[in-house]
PDB file of all heavy atoms in Angstrom:
ATOM      1  N   ALA Q1228      62.522 -84.709  13.586  1.00  0.00           N
ATOM      2  CA  ALA Q1228      63.743 -85.268  14.115  1.00  0.00           C
ATOM      3  C   ALA Q1228      63.705 -86.782  14.248  1.00  0.00           C
ATOM      4  O   ALA Q1228      64.635 -87.439  13.955  1.00  0.00           O
ATOM      5  CB  ALA Q1228      64.020 -84.626  15.455  1.00  0.00           C
ATOM      6  N   ASN Q1235      68.889 -93.037  10.280  1.00  0.00           N
ATOM      7  CA  ASN Q1235      70.300 -93.312  10.577  1.00  0.00           C
ATOM      8  C   ASN Q1235      70.421 -94.880  10.670  1.00  0.00           C
ATOM      9  O   ASN Q1235      69.752 -95.544  11.467  1.00  0.00           O
ATOM     10  CB  ASN Q1235      70.790 -92.772  11.953  1.00  0.00           C
ATOM     11  CG  ASN Q1235      71.283 -91.361  11.800  1.00  0.00           C
ATOM     12  OD1 ASN Q1235      71.751 -91.021  10.667  1.00  0.00           O
ATOM     13  ND2 ASN Q1235      71.183 -90.557  12.778  1.00  0.00           N
ATOM     14  N   GLY Q1281      68.806 -85.949 -11.303  1.00  0.00           N
ATOM     15  CA  GLY Q1281      67.803 -85.654 -12.244  1.00  0.00           C
ATOM     16  C   GLY Q1281      68.270 -84.806 -13.370  1.00  0.00           C
ATOM     17  O   GLY Q1281      67.560 -84.005 -13.951  1.00  0.00           O
ATOM     18  N   SER Q1285      73.385 -78.212 -11.317  1.00  0.00           N
ATOM     19  CA  SER Q1285      73.536 -77.306 -10.149  1.00  0.00           C
ATOM     20  C   SER Q1285      73.027 -78.078  -8.945  1.00  0.00           C
ATOM     21  O   SER Q1285      73.573 -77.836  -7.936  1.00  0.00           O
ATOM     22  CB  SER Q1285      72.670 -75.992 -10.393  1.00  0.00           C
ATOM     23  OG  SER Q1285      71.373 -76.275 -10.627  1.00  0.00           O
ATOM     24  N   SER Q1289      75.240 -79.125  -5.534  1.00  0.00           N
ATOM     25  CA  SER Q1289      74.803 -78.979  -4.137  1.00  0.00           C
ATOM     26  C   SER Q1289      74.879 -80.332  -3.455  1.00  0.00           C
ATOM     27  O   SER Q1289      75.276 -80.434  -2.290  1.00  0.00           O
ATOM     28  CB  SER Q1289      73.345 -78.491  -4.171  1.00  0.00           C
ATOM     29  OG  SER Q1289      72.805 -78.516  -2.894  1.00  0.00           O
ATOM     30  N   SER Q1293      76.990 -81.258  -0.152  1.00  0.00           N
ATOM     31  CA  SER Q1293      76.317 -81.888   1.036  1.00  0.00           C
ATOM     32  C   SER Q1293      77.052 -83.160   1.529  1.00  0.00           C
ATOM     33  O   SER Q1293      77.227 -83.386   2.664  1.00  0.00           O
ATOM     34  CB  SER Q1293      74.889 -82.402   0.626  1.00  0.00           C
ATOM     35  OG  SER Q1293      74.057 -81.278   0.415  1.00  0.00           O
ATOM     36  N   ARG Q1297      78.952 -83.913   4.943  1.00  0.00           N
ATOM     37  CA  ARG Q1297      78.677 -85.101   5.744  1.00  0.00           C
ATOM     38  C   ARG Q1297      79.891 -85.936   6.066  1.00  0.00           C
ATOM     39  O   ARG Q1297      79.952 -86.746   6.951  1.00  0.00           O
ATOM     40  CB  ARG Q1297      77.707 -85.992   4.851  1.00  0.00           C
ATOM     41  CG  ARG Q1297      77.070 -87.196   5.511  1.00  0.00           C
ATOM     42  CD  ARG Q1297      76.463 -88.058   4.452  1.00  0.00           C
ATOM     43  NE  ARG Q1297      76.516 -89.346   5.002  1.00  0.00           N
ATOM     44  CZ  ARG Q1297      75.374 -90.041   5.418  1.00  0.00           C
ATOM     45  NH1 ARG Q1297      74.207 -89.481   5.357  1.00  0.00           N
ATOM     46  NH2 ARG Q1297      75.509 -91.293   5.881  1.00  0.00           N
ATOM     47  N   ASP Q1308      76.617 -82.975 -17.777  1.00  0.00           N
ATOM     48  CA  ASP Q1308      77.357 -82.139 -18.764  1.00  0.00           C
ATOM     49  C   ASP Q1308      78.831 -82.128 -18.331  1.00  0.00           C
ATOM     50  O   ASP Q1308      79.159 -81.873 -17.203  1.00  0.00           O
ATOM     51  CB  ASP Q1308      76.757 -80.687 -18.708  1.00  0.00           C
ATOM     52  CG  ASP Q1308      77.356 -79.847 -19.841  1.00  0.00           C
ATOM     53  OD1 ASP Q1308      78.493 -79.276 -19.574  1.00  0.00           O
ATOM     54  OD2 ASP Q1308      76.768 -79.772 -20.899  1.00  0.00           O
ATOM     55  N   ASN Q1310      81.146 -80.060 -18.950  1.00  0.00           N
ATOM     56  CA  ASN Q1310      81.666 -78.695 -18.529  1.00  0.00           C
ATOM     57  C   ASN Q1310      81.087 -78.345 -17.167  1.00  0.00           C
ATOM     58  O   ASN Q1310      81.820 -77.860 -16.312  1.00  0.00           O
ATOM     59  CB  ASN Q1310      81.308 -77.658 -19.519  1.00  0.00           C
ATOM     60  CG  ASN Q1310      82.031 -77.863 -20.871  1.00  0.00           C
ATOM     61  OD1 ASN Q1310      83.217 -78.122 -20.880  1.00  0.00           O
ATOM     62  ND2 ASN Q1310      81.292 -77.765 -21.919  1.00  0.00           N
ATOM     63  N   ALA Q1311      79.782 -78.563 -16.975  1.00  0.00           N
ATOM     64  CA  ALA Q1311      79.114 -78.096 -15.775  1.00  0.00           C
ATOM     65  C   ALA Q1311      79.446 -78.808 -14.579  1.00  0.00           C
ATOM     66  O   ALA Q1311      79.217 -78.330 -13.409  1.00  0.00           O
ATOM     67  CB  ALA Q1311      77.642 -78.048 -15.997  1.00  0.00           C
ATOM     68  N   ARG Q1317      85.842 -79.637  -8.437  1.00  0.00           N
ATOM     69  CA  ARG Q1317      86.757 -78.705  -7.843  1.00  0.00           C
ATOM     70  C   ARG Q1317      86.469 -78.519  -6.313  1.00  0.00           C
ATOM     71  O   ARG Q1317      87.426 -78.494  -5.476  1.00  0.00           O
ATOM     72  CB  ARG Q1317      86.761 -77.326  -8.519  1.00  0.00           C
ATOM     73  CG  ARG Q1317      87.935 -76.467  -8.094  1.00  0.00           C
ATOM     74  CD  ARG Q1317      87.872 -75.039  -8.778  1.00  0.00           C
ATOM     75  NE  ARG Q1317      88.196 -75.182 -10.221  1.00  0.00           N
ATOM     76  CZ  ARG Q1317      87.394 -74.759 -11.163  1.00  0.00           C
ATOM     77  NH1 ARG Q1317      86.206 -74.181 -10.912  1.00  0.00           N
ATOM     78  NH2 ARG Q1317      87.749 -74.846 -12.465  1.00  0.00           N
ATOM     79  N   GLY Q1379      76.253 -83.597 -26.078  1.00  0.00           N
ATOM     80  CA  GLY Q1379      77.018 -83.056 -24.999  1.00  0.00           C
ATOM     81  C   GLY Q1379      77.710 -84.025 -24.221  1.00  0.00           C
ATOM     82  O   GLY Q1379      78.433 -83.816 -23.300  1.00  0.00           O
TER      83      GLY Q1379
ATOM     84  N   ALA I 294      63.399 -73.710  14.018  1.00  0.00           N
ATOM     85  CA  ALA I 294      63.170 -74.958  14.711  1.00  0.00           C
ATOM     86  C   ALA I 294      63.770 -76.158  13.941  1.00  0.00           C
ATOM     87  O   ALA I 294      64.414 -76.942  14.446  1.00  0.00           O
ATOM     88  CB  ALA I 294      61.692 -75.122  14.868  1.00  0.00           C
ATOM     89  N   VAL I 298      66.679 -78.619  15.219  1.00  0.00           N
ATOM     90  CA  VAL I 298      66.298 -80.069  15.439  1.00  0.00           C
ATOM     91  C   VAL I 298      67.181 -81.010  14.657  1.00  0.00           C
ATOM     92  O   VAL I 298      67.552 -82.090  15.165  1.00  0.00           O
ATOM     93  CB  VAL I 298      64.785 -80.267  15.071  1.00  0.00           C
ATOM     94  CG1 VAL I 298      64.506 -81.692  14.858  1.00  0.00           C
ATOM     95  CG2 VAL I 298      63.955 -79.759  16.162  1.00  0.00           C
ATOM     96  N   VAL I 299      67.661 -80.641  13.466  1.00  0.00           N
ATOM     97  CA  VAL I 299      68.378 -81.550  12.643  1.00  0.00           C
ATOM     98  C   VAL I 299      69.899 -81.610  13.094  1.00  0.00           C
ATOM     99  O   VAL I 299      70.648 -82.406  12.629  1.00  0.00           O
ATOM    100  CB  VAL I 299      68.270 -81.352  11.111  1.00  0.00           C
ATOM    101  CG1 VAL I 299      66.827 -81.602  10.738  1.00  0.00           C
ATOM    102  CG2 VAL I 299      68.737 -80.009  10.753  1.00  0.00           C
ATOM    103  N   ASN I 314      76.850 -74.383   1.617  1.00  0.00           N
ATOM    104  CA  ASN I 314      75.978 -75.014   0.550  1.00  0.00           C
ATOM    105  C   ASN I 314      74.573 -74.427   0.620  1.00  0.00           C
ATOM    106  O   ASN I 314      73.916 -74.027  -0.387  1.00  0.00           O
ATOM    107  CB  ASN I 314      75.999 -76.482   0.793  1.00  0.00           C
ATOM    108  CG  ASN I 314      75.269 -77.219  -0.360  1.00  0.00           C
ATOM    109  OD1 ASN I 314      75.185 -76.771  -1.481  1.00  0.00           O
ATOM    110  ND2 ASN I 314      74.807 -78.459  -0.042  1.00  0.00           N
ATOM    111  N   THR I 425      76.852 -79.356 -26.059  1.00  0.00           N
ATOM    112  CA  THR I 425      75.573 -78.826 -25.663  1.00  0.00           C
ATOM    113  C   THR I 425      75.586 -77.826 -24.555  1.00  0.00           C
ATOM    114  O   THR I 425      74.590 -77.565 -23.851  1.00  0.00           O
ATOM    115  CB  THR I 425      74.581 -79.951 -25.273  1.00  0.00           C
ATOM    116  OG1 THR I 425      75.217 -80.837 -24.377  1.00  0.00           O
ATOM    117  CG2 THR I 425      74.079 -80.765 -26.499  1.00  0.00           C
ATOM    118  N   SER I 426      76.816 -77.399 -24.223  1.00  0.00           N
ATOM    119  CA  SER I 426      76.946 -76.262 -23.247  1.00  0.00           C
ATOM    120  C   SER I 426      78.070 -75.414 -23.699  1.00  0.00           C
ATOM    121  O   SER I 426      78.863 -75.731 -24.607  1.00  0.00           O
ATOM    122  CB  SER I 426      77.251 -76.902 -21.906  1.00  0.00           C
ATOM    123  OG  SER I 426      78.434 -77.582 -21.814  1.00  0.00           O
ATOM    124  N   GLN I 515      78.094 -72.493 -12.078  1.00  0.00           N
ATOM    125  CA  GLN I 515      78.322 -73.758 -12.815  1.00  0.00           C
ATOM    126  C   GLN I 515      79.444 -73.568 -13.815  1.00  0.00           C
ATOM    127  O   GLN I 515      79.896 -74.432 -14.491  1.00  0.00           O
ATOM    128  CB  GLN I 515      77.041 -74.126 -13.659  1.00  0.00           C
ATOM    129  CG  GLN I 515      75.987 -74.572 -12.813  1.00  0.00           C
ATOM    130  CD  GLN I 515      76.279 -75.778 -11.905  1.00  0.00           C
ATOM    131  OE1 GLN I 515      75.980 -75.763 -10.713  1.00  0.00           O
ATOM    132  NE2 GLN I 515      76.936 -76.801 -12.455  1.00  0.00           N
ATOM    133  N   GLU I 516      79.972 -72.291 -13.956  1.00  0.00           N
ATOM    134  CA  GLU I 516      81.036 -71.993 -14.857  1.00  0.00           C
ATOM    135  C   GLU I 516      80.736 -72.341 -16.258  1.00  0.00           C
ATOM    136  O   GLU I 516      81.634 -72.663 -17.115  1.00  0.00           O
ATOM    137  CB  GLU I 516      82.379 -72.661 -14.381  1.00  0.00           C
ATOM    138  CG  GLU I 516      82.745 -72.185 -12.975  1.00  0.00           C
ATOM    139  CD  GLU I 516      84.011 -72.894 -12.513  1.00  0.00           C
ATOM    140  OE1 GLU I 516      84.737 -73.497 -13.405  1.00  0.00           O
ATOM    141  OE2 GLU I 516      84.258 -72.831 -11.313  1.00  0.00           O
ATOM    142  N   ASN I 525      64.709 -77.988 -13.809  1.00  0.00           N
ATOM    143  CA  ASN I 525      63.969 -78.664 -12.805  1.00  0.00           C
ATOM    144  C   ASN I 525      63.608 -77.831 -11.613  1.00  0.00           C
ATOM    145  O   ASN I 525      63.170 -78.374 -10.583  1.00  0.00           O
ATOM    146  CB  ASN I 525      64.683 -79.913 -12.368  1.00  0.00           C
ATOM    147  CG  ASN I 525      64.976 -80.898 -13.471  1.00  0.00           C
ATOM    148  OD1 ASN I 525      64.346 -80.885 -14.485  1.00  0.00           O
ATOM    149  ND2 ASN I 525      66.093 -81.701 -13.333  1.00  0.00           N
ATOM    150  N   MET I 567      71.785 -84.883   2.768  1.00  0.00           N
ATOM    151  CA  MET I 567      72.878 -85.216   3.587  1.00  0.00           C
ATOM    152  C   MET I 567      72.582 -86.473   4.410  1.00  0.00           C
ATOM    153  O   MET I 567      73.546 -87.205   4.764  1.00  0.00           O
ATOM    154  CB  MET I 567      73.221 -84.075   4.578  1.00  0.00           C
ATOM    155  CG  MET I 567      73.978 -82.917   3.853  1.00  0.00           C
ATOM    156  SD  MET I 567      74.276 -81.556   4.977  1.00  0.00           S
ATOM    157  CE  MET I 567      75.572 -82.200   5.988  1.00  0.00           C
ATOM    158  N   GLN I 568      71.315 -86.745   4.690  1.00  0.00           N
ATOM    159  CA  GLN I 568      71.018 -87.856   5.427  1.00  0.00           C
ATOM    160  C   GLN I 568      71.020 -89.124   4.566  1.00  0.00           C
ATOM    161  O   GLN I 568      70.993 -90.198   5.099  1.00  0.00           O
ATOM    162  CB  GLN I 568      69.521 -87.656   5.983  1.00  0.00           C
ATOM    163  CG  GLN I 568      69.070 -88.699   7.047  1.00  0.00           C
ATOM    164  CD  GLN I 568      69.987 -88.653   8.280  1.00  0.00           C
ATOM    165  OE1 GLN I 568      70.659 -87.730   8.581  1.00  0.00           O
ATOM    166  NE2 GLN I 568      69.830 -89.717   9.123  1.00  0.00           N
ATOM    167  N   GLY I 569      71.133 -88.830   3.306  1.00  0.00           N
ATOM    168  CA  GLY I 569      71.217 -90.002   2.394  1.00  0.00           C
ATOM    169  C   GLY I 569      69.980 -90.604   1.980  1.00  0.00           C
ATOM    170  O   GLY I 569      69.843 -91.736   1.530  1.00  0.00           O
TER     171      GLY I 569
END
Side-chain angles (χ1 to χ4, degrees):
Chain Q
N1235 270 336
S1285 61
S1289 173
S1293 293
R1297 193 193 148 106
D1308 186 278
N1310 294 313
R1317 194 180 289 123
Chain I
V298 162
V299 296
N314 188 25
T425 50
S426 62
Q515 291 303 128
E516 304 180 10
N525 300 334
M567 285 178 71
Q568 191 63 15

